[in-house]
mmCIF file of all heavy atoms in Angstrom:
data_model
loop_
_atom_site.group_PDB
_atom_site.id
_atom_site.type_symbol
_atom_site.label_atom_id
_atom_site.label_comp_id
_atom_site.label_asym_id
_atom_site.label_seq_id
_atom_site.Cartn_x
_atom_site.Cartn_y
_atom_site.Cartn_z
ATOM 1 N N PRO A 1549 -106.876 -138.152 -2.389
ATOM 2 C CA PRO A 1549 -106.498 -137.966 -0.983
ATOM 3 C C PRO A 1549 -107.740 -137.673 -0.151
ATOM 4 O O PRO A 1549 -108.696 -137.084 -0.635
ATOM 5 C CB PRO A 1549 -105.556 -136.765 -1.027
ATOM 6 C CG PRO A 1549 -106.000 -135.993 -2.239
ATOM 7 C CD PRO A 1549 -106.475 -137.017 -3.231
ATOM 8 N N ARG A 1550 -107.709 -138.096 1.116
ATOM 9 C CA ARG A 1550 -108.845 -137.838 1.999
ATOM 10 C C ARG A 1550 -108.677 -136.539 2.774
ATOM 11 O O ARG A 1550 -109.657 -135.938 3.217
ATOM 12 C CB ARG A 1550 -109.027 -139.001 2.969
ATOM 13 C CG ARG A 1550 -109.392 -140.327 2.304
ATOM 14 C CD ARG A 1550 -110.673 -140.246 1.497
ATOM 15 N NE ARG A 1550 -111.122 -141.549 1.059
ATOM 16 C CZ ARG A 1550 -112.101 -142.247 1.638
ATOM 17 N NH1 ARG A 1550 -112.741 -141.732 2.682
ATOM 18 N NH2 ARG A 1550 -112.438 -143.428 1.192
ATOM 19 N N ALA A 1551 -107.435 -136.109 2.975
ATOM 20 C CA ALA A 1551 -107.174 -134.880 3.727
ATOM 21 C C ALA A 1551 -105.787 -134.387 3.367
ATOM 22 O O ALA A 1551 -105.012 -135.077 2.682
ATOM 23 C CB ALA A 1551 -107.290 -135.115 5.229
ATOM 24 N N GLN A 1552 -105.458 -133.183 3.822
ATOM 25 C CA GLN A 1552 -104.132 -132.625 3.607
ATOM 26 C C GLN A 1552 -103.745 -131.797 4.829
ATOM 27 O O GLN A 1552 -104.598 -131.296 5.552
ATOM 28 C CB GLN A 1552 -104.064 -131.774 2.349
ATOM 29 C CG GLN A 1552 -104.944 -130.541 2.367
ATOM 30 C CD GLN A 1552 -104.848 -129.727 1.096
ATOM 31 O OE1 GLN A 1552 -103.881 -129.826 0.346
ATOM 32 N NE2 GLN A 1552 -105.851 -128.910 0.834
ATOM 33 N N THR A 1553 -102.433 -131.656 5.033
ATOM 34 C CA THR A 1553 -101.970 -130.847 6.153
ATOM 35 C C THR A 1553 -101.937 -129.376 5.768
ATOM 36 O O THR A 1553 -101.990 -129.015 4.592
ATOM 37 C CB THR A 1553 -100.564 -131.265 6.586
ATOM 38 O OG1 THR A 1553 -99.624 -130.920 5.551
ATOM 39 C CG2 THR A 1553 -100.476 -132.742 6.884
ATOM 40 N N MET A 1554 -101.842 -128.555 6.782
ATOM 41 C CA MET A 1554 -101.565 -127.146 6.548
ATOM 42 C C MET A 1554 -100.229 -127.030 5.823
ATOM 43 O O MET A 1554 -99.326 -127.846 6.030
ATOM 44 C CB MET A 1554 -101.509 -126.397 7.876
ATOM 45 C CG MET A 1554 -102.811 -126.419 8.663
ATOM 46 S SD MET A 1554 -102.629 -125.763 10.346
ATOM 47 C CE MET A 1554 -102.100 -124.084 9.998
ATOM 48 N N PRO A 1555 -100.062 -126.030 4.949
ATOM 49 C CA PRO A 1555 -98.777 -125.871 4.262
ATOM 50 C C PRO A 1555 -97.654 -125.553 5.241
ATOM 51 O O PRO A 1555 -97.884 -125.009 6.327
ATOM 52 C CB PRO A 1555 -99.026 -124.684 3.317
ATOM 53 C CG PRO A 1555 -100.512 -124.571 3.201
ATOM 54 C CD PRO A 1555 -101.055 -125.037 4.510
ATOM 55 N N VAL A 1556 -96.428 -125.887 4.846
ATOM 56 C CA VAL A 1556 -95.274 -125.514 5.654
ATOM 57 C C VAL A 1556 -95.099 -124.001 5.582
ATOM 58 O O VAL A 1556 -95.676 -123.322 4.742
ATOM 59 C CB VAL A 1556 -94.000 -126.240 5.175
ATOM 60 C CG1 VAL A 1556 -94.149 -127.740 5.323
ATOM 61 C CG2 VAL A 1556 -93.677 -125.872 3.731
ATOM 62 N N ALA A 1557 -94.258 -123.475 6.466
ATOM 63 C CA ALA A 1557 -94.147 -122.019 6.628
ATOM 64 C C ALA A 1557 -93.104 -121.379 5.728
ATOM 65 O O ALA A 1557 -92.806 -120.196 5.883
ATOM 66 C CB ALA A 1557 -93.837 -121.692 8.086
ATOM 67 N N ARG A 1558 -92.551 -122.131 4.792
ATOM 68 C CA ARG A 1558 -91.551 -121.585 3.885
ATOM 69 C C ARG A 1558 -91.870 -122.007 2.453
ATOM 70 O O ARG A 1558 -92.445 -123.071 2.219
ATOM 71 C CB ARG A 1558 -90.145 -122.075 4.244
ATOM 72 C CG ARG A 1558 -89.627 -121.554 5.583
ATOM 73 C CD ARG A 1558 -89.269 -120.077 5.495
ATOM 74 N NE ARG A 1558 -88.620 -119.604 6.704
ATOM 75 C CZ ARG A 1558 -89.245 -119.147 7.778
ATOM 76 N NH1 ARG A 1558 -90.569 -119.132 7.802
ATOM 77 N NH2 ARG A 1558 -88.570 -118.719 8.829
ATOM 78 N N LEU A 1559 -91.497 -121.173 1.493
ATOM 79 C CA LEU A 1559 -91.685 -121.486 0.084
ATOM 80 C C LEU A 1559 -90.526 -122.318 -0.430
ATOM 81 O O LEU A 1559 -89.446 -122.362 0.156
ATOM 82 C CB LEU A 1559 -91.808 -120.200 -0.729
ATOM 83 C CG LEU A 1559 -93.049 -119.338 -0.459
ATOM 84 C CD1 LEU A 1559 -92.922 -117.996 -1.153
ATOM 85 C CD2 LEU A 1559 -94.314 -120.057 -0.930
ATOM 86 N N GLY A 1560 -90.747 -122.969 -1.571
ATOM 87 C CA GLY A 1560 -89.692 -123.747 -2.205
ATOM 88 C C GLY A 1560 -89.730 -125.198 -1.781
ATOM 89 O O GLY A 1560 -90.734 -125.721 -1.283
ATOM 90 N N ASP A 1561 -88.610 -125.887 -2.000
ATOM 91 C CA ASP A 1561 -88.496 -127.307 -1.682
ATOM 92 C C ASP A 1561 -88.234 -127.437 -0.184
ATOM 93 O O ASP A 1561 -87.086 -127.407 0.268
ATOM 94 C CB ASP A 1561 -87.364 -127.928 -2.494
ATOM 95 C CG ASP A 1561 -87.250 -129.423 -2.282
ATOM 96 O OD1 ASP A 1561 -88.220 -130.030 -1.793
ATOM 97 O OD2 ASP A 1561 -86.187 -129.991 -2.593
ATOM 98 N N VAL A 1562 -89.286 -127.602 0.601
ATOM 99 C CA VAL A 1562 -89.178 -127.507 2.062
ATOM 100 C C VAL A 1562 -89.626 -128.790 2.759
ATOM 101 O O VAL A 1562 -88.879 -129.392 3.507
ATOM 102 C CB VAL A 1562 -89.980 -126.307 2.598
ATOM 103 C CG1 VAL A 1562 -89.841 -126.197 4.107
ATOM 104 C CG2 VAL A 1562 -89.519 -125.014 1.925
ATOM 105 N N ALA A 1563 -90.881 -129.192 2.567
ATOM 106 C CA ALA A 1563 -91.382 -130.410 3.208
ATOM 107 C C ALA A 1563 -90.680 -131.625 2.612
ATOM 108 O O ALA A 1563 -90.355 -131.647 1.423
ATOM 109 C CB ALA A 1563 -92.891 -130.524 3.014
ATOM 110 N N ASP A 1564 -90.422 -132.634 3.435
ATOM 111 C CA ASP A 1564 -89.699 -133.783 2.903
ATOM 112 C C ASP A 1564 -90.294 -135.121 3.320
ATOM 113 O O ASP A 1564 -90.745 -135.883 2.482
ATOM 114 C CB ASP A 1564 -88.227 -133.729 3.301
ATOM 115 C CG ASP A 1564 -87.373 -134.719 2.524
ATOM 116 O OD1 ASP A 1564 -87.422 -135.923 2.852
ATOM 117 O OD2 ASP A 1564 -86.678 -134.297 1.581
ATOM 118 N N ASP A 1565 -90.282 -135.435 4.620
ATOM 119 C CA ASP A 1565 -90.541 -136.813 5.025
ATOM 120 C C ASP A 1565 -91.487 -136.855 6.222
ATOM 121 O O ASP A 1565 -91.320 -136.077 7.162
ATOM 122 C CB ASP A 1565 -89.209 -137.483 5.386
ATOM 123 C CG ASP A 1565 -89.335 -138.984 5.567
ATOM 124 O OD1 ASP A 1565 -90.097 -139.612 4.811
ATOM 125 O OD2 ASP A 1565 -88.675 -139.529 6.462
ATOM 126 N N PRO A 1566 -92.496 -137.750 6.217
ATOM 127 C CA PRO A 1566 -93.400 -137.882 7.353
ATOM 128 C C PRO A 1566 -93.148 -139.164 8.145
ATOM 129 O O PRO A 1566 -92.499 -140.107 7.672
ATOM 130 C CB PRO A 1566 -94.764 -137.943 6.678
ATOM 131 C CG PRO A 1566 -94.491 -138.694 5.408
ATOM 132 C CD PRO A 1566 -93.069 -138.356 5.004
ATOM 133 N N ALA A 1567 -93.679 -139.201 9.358
ATOM 134 C CA ALA A 1567 -93.726 -140.405 10.189
ATOM 135 C C ALA A 1567 -95.021 -140.360 10.993
ATOM 136 O O ALA A 1567 -95.447 -139.289 11.431
ATOM 137 C CB ALA A 1567 -92.516 -140.485 11.116
ATOM 138 N N ILE A 1568 -95.642 -141.522 11.176
ATOM 139 C CA ILE A 1568 -96.946 -141.601 11.825
ATOM 140 C C ILE A 1568 -96.796 -142.148 13.244
ATOM 141 O O ILE A 1568 -96.184 -143.198 13.454
ATOM 142 C CB ILE A 1568 -97.903 -142.499 11.021
ATOM 143 C CG1 ILE A 1568 -98.060 -141.963 9.584
ATOM 144 C CG2 ILE A 1568 -99.260 -142.595 11.704
ATOM 145 C CD1 ILE A 1568 -98.772 -142.922 8.653
ATOM 146 N N TRP A 1569 -97.364 -141.417 14.214
ATOM 147 C CA TRP A 1569 -97.425 -141.875 15.609
ATOM 148 C C TRP A 1569 -98.874 -142.185 15.933
ATOM 149 O O TRP A 1569 -99.767 -141.378 15.705
ATOM 150 C CB TRP A 1569 -96.899 -140.792 16.548
ATOM 151 C CG TRP A 1569 -97.016 -141.144 18.000
ATOM 152 C CD1 TRP A 1569 -96.163 -141.908 18.740
ATOM 153 C CD2 TRP A 1569 -98.077 -140.750 18.885
ATOM 154 N NE1 TRP A 1569 -96.612 -142.015 20.040
ATOM 155 C CE2 TRP A 1569 -97.786 -141.317 20.162
ATOM 156 C CE3 TRP A 1569 -99.224 -139.980 18.742
ATOM 157 C CZ2 TRP A 1569 -98.612 -141.136 21.266
ATOM 158 C CZ3 TRP A 1569 -100.064 -139.796 19.836
ATOM 159 C CH2 TRP A 1569 -99.746 -140.370 21.082
#
Side-chain angles (χ1 to χ4, degrees):
R1550 296 301 190 101
Q1552 63 180 339
T1553 68
M1554 298 170 61
V1556 298
R1558 293 287 187 273
L1559 294 170
D1561 184 18
V1562 181
D1564 193 283
D1565 191 38
I1568 302 169
W1569 176 83

